[in-house]
Amino acid sequence: MRIASVFIFSLMILSSCSHKDEAIELSRDFFASLSDSTYGKTNDFYPDYDSLGIEAKSDIVDIEASDVTEKNDTATVRCYNNYTNSEGTFMQDSVTLFITRNEDKQYYIYDSKGLIVIDKELAWFGKVTGAFGKKQTNDQALAKRIEQVRSMMWGQIH
């Protein structure tokens, strides 16, 4: 009985590690796909990527296993995306990826936080109108809010 309990506990630990490893691998592949299409297309990892208007870059991503949390079939991966922007400045963004499984039991990214960058004019207008608060929202909700702010902003100009 004691050996069976130890065996089951060991399987649970190994299973947990492999799920974390899968989430980390998916996250690394996603960031690699931003600059190298041999890893796949960004939509392979994050199906809504193109529809969100994200223009992310990545040279290397830092992910620690301790920054991955799991609950049932979902995982949250906190990481640092390192890249050089168009002006040649080194940047490091804190990004959170929200990962779950599809009907084929394959992991995919269903939301993120920190991938969308808002241009200065839009950010200013959004803050002045109260559309953008201090709290950073997930990218899915932020993309919708940006679309609303753009339509408000262009409505004000015409």
Side-chain angles (χ1 to χ4, degrees), residues 100-119:
T100 193
R101 292 182 184 270
N102 61 19
E103 55 276 347
D104 297 328
K105 301 294 182 196
Q106 298 296 314
Y107 276 123
Y108 72 97
I109 302 166
Y110 69 90
D111 202 353
S112 56
K113 184 185 277 190
L115 285 175
I116 293 180
V117 177
I118 306 170
D119 67 62

Side-chain angles (χ1 to χ4, degrees), residues 30-37 57-59:
F30 165 72
F31 281 104
S33 75
L34 294 172
S35 59
D36 185 352
S37 62
K57 290 182 161 189
S58 183
D59 295 327

Side-chain angles (χ1 to χ4, degrees), residues 51-70:
S51 67
L52 296 175
I54 299 171
E55 297 178 18
K57 290 182 161 189
S58 183
D59 295 327
I60 192 164
V61 63
D62 296 326
I63 303 172
E64 299 291 328
S66 61
D67 291 329
V68 179
T69 56
E70 295 178 289

Side-chain angles (χ1 to χ4, degrees), residues 82-100:
N82 303 287
Y83 61 97
T84 304
N85 70 11
S86 58
E87 289 88 40
T89 304
F90 172 78
M91 305 292 289
Q92 184 179 58
D93 296 335
S94 175
V95 177
T96 303
L97 301 177
F98 302 97
I99 299 171
T100 193

